[in-house]
Structures are given as C-alpha cells and as structure tokens.
Amino acid sequence: MRYHLVTLGCPKNVVDSEGMSGLLAEAGYRPTQRPDRADVLIVNTCGFIGPAKDESLATLRELGAAKRPGQLLIATGCLVQRAGEALQREIPQVDAVLSTRRWYEIANLVAALRRDRYGDIPDAGFVAAPDLLQPTITLVPNRDEAMPAEAIVAPVRRRHVGASAYLKIADGCSAPCAFCTIPGIKGPWRSKPADAVVQEALALAEQGVQEFILVAQDTTAYGYDWGQRDALAPLLDRLCAELPASVWLRLMYAFPGRVTPRLIETMARHPQVVHYLDMPLQHGHA
C-alpha cells in the first residue's frame, strides 16, 4: 500500500510529517510522489494566516477532485485544529481529519478507516478508539489543554531523506501574544525530554543527517515548563557529546530576552554549534 503526503507550513510541520511517514512505514506503507498511485492521500495543513489557509484548502480541493474510488483523503495539521469540522463540510471528499495534537495516530486512523470503509484490513488485534471510526476525529478545542506526551516524544524513528534535518525540541506556546493563534492551535508550551531529543538525533544521524536545525516556537524557552531557565545549554552539551563530531547544530527561533551567558559560552565552546542565532521578527500592519 502507498501513501502520498503533502506538507504545508513551517519547519515544525515538516517534523510532524516525517514522524507520520515513520509511523506509516512501520505499518507497511510506502511513499509515492504521484497522488494517482497512492491508496492514502494526506495533507498536513497550515492555517496560521489567510494565504496559508487558502493554500491548504486549494491543495485539498485539487486532491479531492482527482480522488479515485478506494482512495482515502485525510487532512491533518494546523488548519484542522482551527476548523476541522467546517473544513470537512466544505470539502466532502475529505474522509477524516486529524488534529495537530493527535498526528501520532495516523497509522491507526488509516487502518480504522480502511477497515470501516472497505474491509481490506485484517483485525490484527487493533481496537480503534470510538472517535477513530467517526468521519471527523475529535479535536482539542481548549487552548489551555496541553499536548499529549505521545505527540511530544513519538516517534523516535522519523523517515528522513537528506543531510539536513529539523530537530523539534518543544511544541506549543504559552506566550499571551494577542496577534498569534499558535497557543490555540498547538496548546501550551511543552519541552521535549532531553533523552527523547538525543535519541531522535541519533536515529537521524544513522540516516545520514549531518546538520541538525533545532526548532520550537522559542528554542530559548526550552525547559521553562519544568521550572528550568537555562536548559538549552546542557541539551547542547549532550547533543555535542553523543553525536558525531562532524555534525553541525543550528539554533532557530531564539528570543534575545532568553539568551543567557551560559548559552553563549556553551555555543562558543562547541565547534559543532554554528556560531549565530536565528531570531524571529514579527511583522504587523497598522
């Protein structure tokens, strides 16, 4: 069986898509770049701003219009978290939607849908949660509800191709910015345990990754949810100690107010860490 996965949006969506690809590979699915050859079509949507929403809807409509009998079309990601049920009403070819906080259930969802719709999946002892058998996956509408631990740490084995890879060290955001919808989409900030970050990095290194780009909504807030104000520096120490000496580590989305002397000293001490900080700049319209 084959799947075709389209990723829209930011690097954090890229990481989630690679996680879904790893889970689908474990379930016996193979990727294809041709939608007409896929048994499952998946769009990992972005819904942060208007043009991103329009692109996501256009992609779903295009795939839906060409969808053949027996194919499944699943919408996942940020637009789903914001407007999943409305999205499915607007594009009836969508068979199911999967929120940002449940992406790790993609393989179970596909199995449940295929068994429910087409009866071509043996039971194999898997019992789907009741909401997996509904047309629309239950979303997490409460902006204050944390992302489940499974979405933070699973899976270690991503399916990645190329020498450069994003390494997500946290998810969500707890900043109260009035102009931003990320907390409502992703939920409160949750740091990924250091052990899980290192294990994922080692697994990516085995796949040939030479450059690791650390991403989160604010990488310098790593550990804040644990009450730690300088946890990024020891995380870099561990990554540099356990990864090959030839790799590069880059820091994206670093907020100046949380850059500490210890972090700067750590970056200066390790030749693997590229000596610059990527800082996000917000834009506005008066």
Side-chain angles (χ1 to χ4, degrees):
M1 307 298 289
R2 295 181 178 271
Y3 69 93
H4 176 75
L5 195 158
V6 179
T7 303
L8 304 173
C10 70
K12 295 177 283 294
N13 262 17
V14 172
V15 174
D16 290 349
S17 287
E18 291 180 355
M20 286 191 281
S21 293
L23 292 168
L24 289 167
E26 290 176 2
Y29 288 86
R30 293 177 294 166
T32 176
Q33 296 299 315
R34 293 187 51 175
D36 59 310
R37 292 185 176 179
D39 302 286
V40 183
L41 305 167
I42 304 168
V43 181
N44 193 0
T45 63
C46 179
F48 186 55
I49 57 177
K53 175 183 175 181
D54 293 342
E55 182 184 24
S56 296
L57 291 173
T59 302
L60 287 166
R61 289 194 185 100
E62 180 182 354
L63 291 174
K67 182 182 168 187
R68 57 175 169 76
Q71 276 187 318
L72 293 172
L73 175 58
I74 299 174
T76 72
C78 296
L79 183 58
V80 168
Q81 187 73 37
R82 295 191 69 179
E85 294 181 4
L87 182 154
Q88 198 165 35
R89 288 195 301 269
E90 188 170 342
I91 307 175
Q93 297 92 341
V94 172
D95 293 284
V97 295
L98 189 65
S99 75
T100 57
R101 307 180 202 182
R102 297 186 65 176
W103 64 265
Y104 56 91
E105 297 188 49
I106 184 65
N108 289 346
L109 171 62
V110 171
L113 282 171
R114 287 180 56 198
R115 187 166 55 246
D116 187 52
R117 303 285 178 87
Y118 310 117
D120 62 346
I121 294 288
D123 188 0
F126 170 70
V127 179
D131 61 346
L132 283 176
L133 300 179
Q134 301 300 318
T136 302
I137 294 299
T138 301
L139 302 182
V140 187
N142 183 354
R143 67 175 280 139
D144 296 322
E145 186 170 347
M147 184 173 289
E150 293 87 347
I152 303 295
V153 301
V156 170
R157 175 68 65 172
R158 287 159 47 191
R159 186 183 181 278
H160 180 81
V161 177
S164 180
Y166 295 109
L167 187 62
K168 187 161 61 171
I169 64 173
D171 222 325
C173 185
S174 296
C177 305
F179 58 82
C180 183
T181 61
I182 292 299
I185 293 172
K186 291 284 194 175
W189 174 269
R190 289 199 65 181
S191 301
K192 188 171 184 175
D195 287 345
V197 174
V198 172
Q199 290 173 21
E200 186 172 334
L202 290 172
L204 288 168
E206 290 178 1
Q207 298 178 56
V209 172
Q210 288 291 308
E211 179 184 57
F212 295 85
I213 306 171
L214 276 62
V215 294
Q217 204 61 33
D218 172 6
T219 55
T220 45
Y222 182 73
Y224 269 50
D225 49 324
W226 306 327
Q228 300 178 20
R229 294 296 182 265
D230 215 350
L232 183 56
L235 177 66
L236 289 176
D237 283 331
R238 283 199 58 184
L239 288 169
C240 290
E242 301 197 35
L243 287 170
S246 59
V247 305
W248 289 359
L249 297 174
R250 297 182 185 270
L251 289 178
M252 286 187 68
Y253 307 120
F255 281 67
R258 293 195 176 104
V259 174
T260 66
R262 182 181 179 185
L263 176 61
I264 295 299
E265 185 277 329
T266 300
M267 294 178 65
R269 179 162 37 86
H270 292 296
Q272 293 112 309
V273 181
V274 179
H275 293 168
Y276 80 94
L277 289 170
D278 174 276
M279 295 185 295
L281 298 177
Q282 305 295 343
H283 61 85
H285 190 297

